[in-house]
Amino acid sequence: MSSGTQASSGQERDSADLARFGYSQELKRSLGLFSSFAVAFSYISPSTGIFTLFALGLTTIGGVFIWTWPVVALGQFIVALNFAEVSSHYPVAGSVFQWTKYLASRSYSWFTGWIYLFAGMLTVTAVVATLPLALIPALNGLGWHSLNAASLNTQLVVALITLVVITVLNIYGVRLVSIINNTGVVFEILGMFVFALVLMAFHNHQGFGVVTNSAGLPVNGSTFLAAMFMSLFVIYGFDTASTLSEETKDPRRAAPKAVLYSVIGAFIIGGVFLLGTLVAIPHLGVAVKNAWGPAQVIEANFSTPFATLYLLVVSAAIFVCCLSILAATIRLCFGMSRDNQLPMSGVLSKVSPSLHTPVWSCVAVAAIAAIPFIQYSGAGIIAIAATGMIYLSYFLGNIVIMRARARGWPRTSAPFRLGRWGMLVNIVALIYGGAMLINFAWPRAASNPKPNQTNGLLKLGFLDGIPILWTVVVFIVLLGAIYYLAVGRTKEFAPVIAPAGDDAPLAGTGAAPPA
């Protein structure tokens, strides 16, 4: 059999598998295993999160904050193991929303999807706001000295331009996004790894003992938990590989592998980058006092041309991260709209016959992601809400999966399975996720400040004395509750269909009550 015939046969098999869930193949199935991994890795994008919140970890417990990296990576890998098994059973666009739809009640799955959708849109905002932190210093190095990297207005303009560009690219198709993404991932992996080795070999000012040097800052349980926020912001989004299942070849096998490989790859590459950056700090006390980020460390060690090249590589990595996060959030919006779960579902679920993309979902997600820029307060503050909301949706998904396991799920086999270890993995994932949710919600200036603790960057009137994450979660849940009670619960949702031979949906048929 020729390769072309095999590919055609595989496409037909995957489309037929999707049809067994009640969906026709509308999105273009063009992603292989590497592309699926690359999208998930780009969502995680170690360089993006490290550039956003390196200073938070450094100013909290100095070089010791690197130890938060393996702790978070291990916890997230356990969560990823759980998600990998579920994605092998349900290779449908929507990730956590789809899993809860098959394993829980209609109301529960709707709220989980609603929270996850807004978490994704806030993450888009946080990441496009991160790009200026690397790109503006790089442009300064190219001679654009009029751009002020510290100016929020300059950062805002660059972030908005980025949002428009990635939206247009997503409209023109996942294949174009994957080509850019795959190239960007190779540059990120090679660039971060090679540059980090250069830093360790030729610019090692601190020695490897920096990982135990807190620069005089107190190291205890409380400060370690606060310093974890950078690592927590980096290592999530691995479920993106399953969110794009309908555009992935052989997704029951490819998606679980991509989910796990992305966490492992991010842990190794990010860990090397963190270590290289820490040892290259010329004066740790000065870096802590002035809240240095990686850009300042790079500029302090390299000549302008070399530093500019490094920052351009990182900028490219952050840009493809923006692309993949938007792509994943668009697929979630499309998946929920196709099931008639969202306002204006008919419009949001339309797929362009020529582009094979849900154009209006692209526009809607980008437009809502732009709302926090109305009162722009910097990438770090937006990241607080984005990360907390993501971990909340993951926790809600894990609760449902454990409940399903307690009822005997899965009774049928899938290409990726945990077997008798499934329940233990699920329990550990819930314990870890619950602990991190408490950590996120804890009111502290470092990781969950009140607006009046942001030095005037954020002003919310009567909400100025309430921690930011609390306000965001309550607002989004209340908004969802109002819509669901007034309109959503009376809408006719798509039936929940599982393929013959697979586990029957634990959620029932999904039929709506009479209006």
Side-chain angles (χ1 to χ4, degrees), residues 285-323:
V286 172
V288 169
K289 181 180 178 180
N290 295 293
W292 276 23
Q296 287 74 35
V297 178
I298 293 166
E299 291 171 337
N301 284 281
F302 296 124
S303 64
T304 298
F306 204 68
T308 300
L309 176 61
Y310 197 167
L311 290 169
L312 286 172
V313 170
V314 173
S315 298
I318 297 173
F319 180 78
V320 297
C321 175
C322 298
L323 267 180

Side-chain angles (χ1 to χ4, degrees), residues 16-35:
D17 190 25
L18 180 62
R20 293 163 67 206
F21 286 92
Y23 300 119
S24 59
Q25 184 72 55
E26 295 182 275
L27 304 175
K28 191 171 184 179
R29 198 176 288 274
S30 58
L31 303 181
L33 174 58
F34 179 78
S35 294

Side-chain angles (χ1 to χ4, degrees), residues 48-283:
T48 303
I50 291 171
F51 259 74
T52 309
L53 293 170
F54 180 91
L56 184 151
L58 186 68
T59 57
T60 304
I61 53 175
V64 179
F65 92 93
I66 195 174
W67 295 106
T68 67
W69 188 254
V71 173
V72 172
L74 177 60
Q76 292 297 77
F77 186 74
I78 292 170
V79 174
L81 281 170
N82 202 41
F83 285 0
E85 181 171 35
V86 189
S87 67
S88 194
H89 283 271
Y90 306 113
V92 185
S95 179
V96 176
F97 159 68
Q98 290 289 357
W99 305 335
T100 54
K101 185 182 80 175
Y102 282 95
L103 300 176
S105 68
R106 166 179 163 169
S107 299
Y108 190 97
S109 66
W110 188 89
F111 272 100
T112 301
W114 179 263
I115 291 169
Y116 191 45
L117 179 61
F118 277 88
M121 290 187 286
L122 283 169
T123 302
V124 171
T125 312
V127 175
V128 297
T130 298
L131 181 60
L133 303 182
L135 183 59
I136 294 175
L139 294 177
N140 289 160
L142 292 173
W144 293 29
H145 300 296
S146 60
L147 297 176
N148 181 2
S151 167
L152 287 183
N153 286 334
T154 305
Q155 293 178 23
L156 175 60
V157 171
V158 174
L160 287 173
I161 292 172
T162 304
L163 183 59
V164 171
V165 172
I166 64 173
T167 302
V168 172
L169 289 173
N170 269 282
I171 287 174
Y172 276 90
V174 71
R175 182 59 183 162
L176 175 60
V177 170
S178 71
I179 292 171
I180 298 171
N181 194 70
N182 291 356
T183 306
V185 164
V186 171
F187 274 106
E188 176 167 15
I189 292 174
L190 292 178
M192 290 184 67
F193 194 79
V194 171
F195 273 105
L197 293 180
V198 170
L199 286 171
M200 284 187 270
F202 302 106
H203 301 276
N204 190 339
H205 302 295
Q206 295 296 323
F208 295 109
V210 70
V211 300
T212 60
N213 187 349
S214 69
L217 296 168
V219 180
N220 51 48
S222 177
T223 56
F224 189 86
L225 287 169
M228 287 178 75
F229 191 72
M230 186 216 74
S231 301
L232 291 166
F233 178 61
V234 177
I235 309 177
Y236 70 78
F238 40 82
D239 57 303
T240 303
S242 55
T243 297
L244 271 67
S245 287
E246 292 183 32
E247 293 150 281
T248 303
K249 301 169 187 175
D250 195 12
R252 289 182 184 263
R253 290 177 174 79
K257 291 178 182 178
V259 167
L260 298 177
Y261 292 167
S262 64
V263 178
I264 295 170
F267 167 65
I268 295 171
I269 300 300
V272 172
F273 182 66
L274 272 175
L275 182 59
T277 305
L278 280 173
V279 301
I281 295 173
H283 304 285

Side-chain angles (χ1 to χ4, degrees), residues 432-476:
Y432 164 78
M436 291 305 101
L437 277 178
I438 295 172
N439 188 22
F440 282 124
W442 203 265
R444 61 167 80 93
S447 60
N448 187 20
K450 302 171 185 176
N452 59 21
Q453 294 175 320
T454 61
N455 297 320
L457 295 177
L458 190 63
K459 297 179 180 179
L460 297 180
F462 71 97
L463 297 173
D464 279 352
I466 300 175
I468 293 169
L469 181 59
W470 297 8
T471 298
V472 172
V473 171
V474 170
F475 174 77
I476 290 174

